[in-house]
């Protein structure tokens, strides 16, 4: 008999400046997805699967509670890929990751649905197969890979398969997120990007990504400061984020190593030391409030575990 279980998936921050569509890190904010057999008698051959979805959290009213729910859609896709009919399901969602803010909320749904279905089915798919499926569903690896595995992850493809590697993250580096109370869709953020880039910009980002990776490993402030610079997406996307310039300036003046747009935005991510993190939080909050934009600013931790499965209390 299947026991109720919960899949816990961390938020993610993607790109980290020059790591566009390939570098991401898991953060200590979480969505939780509890999977239970549907109430009532067991399924019979030819019977219609039953579905009940409930959502708790600040933005619960905005999450679909029918068959169009993303977690459920992904759950069904995995069963269908196995040639099996999706079972009847009660799904309870507890939101802790803001929606459409550049913190990987859709990635948590994809990873949660995949892990939930795989566990329910008896774990027929390997972790690598789940990773491939998650990347296919999301379209790029920079959110789903760290959401699945935890830590800071770099992913690349050879056009046949995906490889990933964990990037060391120095214990003194603190991620600070400033989450404004407005949204920016990934589609809108991608529309402002150019179709082609000049050689100088490609070389710039290649060098700065390598420098950033070394800075994350060593905690070297100069390497982090220079390494977080980018010419591929941030110069184009920052115009979509009112107050970006003021918040960026405030974070740097308060001691942050650098500031980047988290994912597609509008959340902004600063990297700070333990000694400066509280000052950076206060400075970013004050700067955005000066723009009359309600904002939540928090210092977080790198989540090193990724998605986990545990028995539910009920």
């Amino acid at each position: 008999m299947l026991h109720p279980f919960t899949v816990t998936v961390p938020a993610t921050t993607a790109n980290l400046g020059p790591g566009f569509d390939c570098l991401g890190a898991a953060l200590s904010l979480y969505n939780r997805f509890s999977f239970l057999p549907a109430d009532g008698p067991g399924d019979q051959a030819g019977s219609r699967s039953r579905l009940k979805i409930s959502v708790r959290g600040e933005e619960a009213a905005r999450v679909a509670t029918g068959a169009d729910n993303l977690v459920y859609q992904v759950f069904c896709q995995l069963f269908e890929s196995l040639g099996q009919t999706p079972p009847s399901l009660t799904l309870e969602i507890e939101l802790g990751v803001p929606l459409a803010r550049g913190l990987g909320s859709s990635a948590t749904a994809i990873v949660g649905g995949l892990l939930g279905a795989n566990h329910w089915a008896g774990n027929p798919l390997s972790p690598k197969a789940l990773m491939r499926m998650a990347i296919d569903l999301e379209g790029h690896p920079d959110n789903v890979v760290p959401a699945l595995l935890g830590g800071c992850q770099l992913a690349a493809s050879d056009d046949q398969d995906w490889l990933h590697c964990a990037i060391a993250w120095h214990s003194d580096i603190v991620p600070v997120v400033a989450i404004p109370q407005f949204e920016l869709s990934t589609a809108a953020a991608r529309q402002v990007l150019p179709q082609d880039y000049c050689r100088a910009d490609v070389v710039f980002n290649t060098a700065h990504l390598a420098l950033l990776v070394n800075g994350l490993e060593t905690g070297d402030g100069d390497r982090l400061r220079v390494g977080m610079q980018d010419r591929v997406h941030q110069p184009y996307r920052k115009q979509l984020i009112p107050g970006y310039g003021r918040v960026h300036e405030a974070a740097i003046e308060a001691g942050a190593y650098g500031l980047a747009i988290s994912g597609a935005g509008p959340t902004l991510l600063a990297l700070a030391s333990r000694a400066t993190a509280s000052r950076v939080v206060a400075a970013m909050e004050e700067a955005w409030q000066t723009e009359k934009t309600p904002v939540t600013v928090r210092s977080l931790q790198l989540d090193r575990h990724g998605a986990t499965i545990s028995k539910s209390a009920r």
Side-chain angles (χ1 to χ4, degrees):
M1 178 179 177
L2 180 73
H3 294 283
F5 62 94
T6 298
V7 180
T8 301
V9 188
T12 49
T13 181
N15 302 327
L16 293 177
F20 182 67
D21 275 3
C22 65
L23 182 66
L27 301 175
S28 55
L29 293 173
Y30 302 92
N31 282 341
R32 293 178 171 85
F33 309 99
S34 295
F35 295 82
L36 308 89
D39 296 333
D43 294 334
Q44 297 179 353
S47 67
R48 185 175 181 180
S49 295
R50 298 180 301 279
L51 172 66
K52 179 181 179 182
I53 299 177
S54 61
V55 188
R56 302 192 306 273
E58 188 173 335
E59 300 176 285
R62 301 179 51 214
V63 177
T65 55
D68 56 342
N69 179 276
L70 180 57
V71 181
Y72 181 67
Q73 289 181 332
V74 172
F75 180 89
C76 291
Q77 284 186 52
L78 188 141
F79 272 96
E80 289 162 1
S81 74
L82 298 172
Q84 300 180 23
T85 300
S88 296
L89 170 68
T90 296
L91 173 62
E92 298 176 353
I93 300 174
E94 181 181 345
L95 296 176
V97 180
L99 303 174
R101 300 294 208 286
L103 288 169
S105 60
S106 64
T108 70
I110 290 170
V111 170
L114 287 176
L115 288 185
N118 195 53
H119 184 78
W120 192 303
N123 297 309
L125 297 186
S126 68
K128 189 166 186 177
L130 290 169
M131 184 184 76
R132 289 195 206 102
M133 195 168 181
I135 295 171
D136 288 343
L137 290 168
E138 177 80 345
H140 42 87
D142 51 345
N143 281 310
V144 292
V145 174
L148 187 62
L149 303 176
C152 184
Q153 300 285 340
L154 179 68
S157 169
D158 63 358
D159 295 326
Q160 295 182 3
D161 200 0
W162 286 94
L163 293 175
H164 70 89
C165 65
I167 302 300
W169 185 287
H170 195 277
S171 60
D172 191 52
I173 299 174
V174 178
V176 176
V177 293
I179 310 167
Q181 296 305 307
F182 62 86
E183 297 180 8
L184 179 58
S185 74
T186 300
R190 286 192 176 269
Q191 285 176 357
V192 300
L193 300 181
Q195 292 296 317
D196 301 292
Y197 295 92
C198 69
R199 180 186 301 174
D201 288 347
V202 173
V203 172
F204 181 95
N205 265 52
T206 301
H208 284 69
L209 177 57
L211 194 63
L212 173 61
V213 167
N214 184 268
L216 290 170
E217 179 181 1
T218 62
D220 185 290
D222 288 336
R223 295 174 188 176
L224 290 168
R225 176 180 57 80
V226 177
M228 286 187 73
Q229 297 175 24
D230 160 76
R231 290 185 182 175
V232 167
H233 70 107
Q234 294 187 149
Y236 308 97
R237 288 176 167 174
K238 66 183 183 182
Q239 62 186 313
L240 303 177
I241 304 174
Y244 172 91
R246 186 186 293 271
V247 177
H248 182 278
E249 181 180 0
I252 300 303
E253 288 183 353
Y257 298 127
L259 180 135
I261 299 171
S262 180
T267 292
L268 300 182
L269 168 83
L271 296 184
S273 67
R274 294 185 182 276
T276 62
S278 61
R279 295 202 302 272
V280 172
V281 168
M284 293 177 74
E285 185 173 35
E286 181 180 357
W288 232 329
Q289 287 177 346
T290 300
E291 296 284 334
K292 303 188 185 308
T293 298
V295 63
T296 300
V297 187
R298 300 180 59 180
S299 61
L300 300 175
Q301 298 176 7
L302 183 74
D303 174 276
R304 299 182 183 273
H305 302 289
T308 59
I309 300 174
S310 59
K311 287 186 178 180
S312 296
R314 54 183 292 179

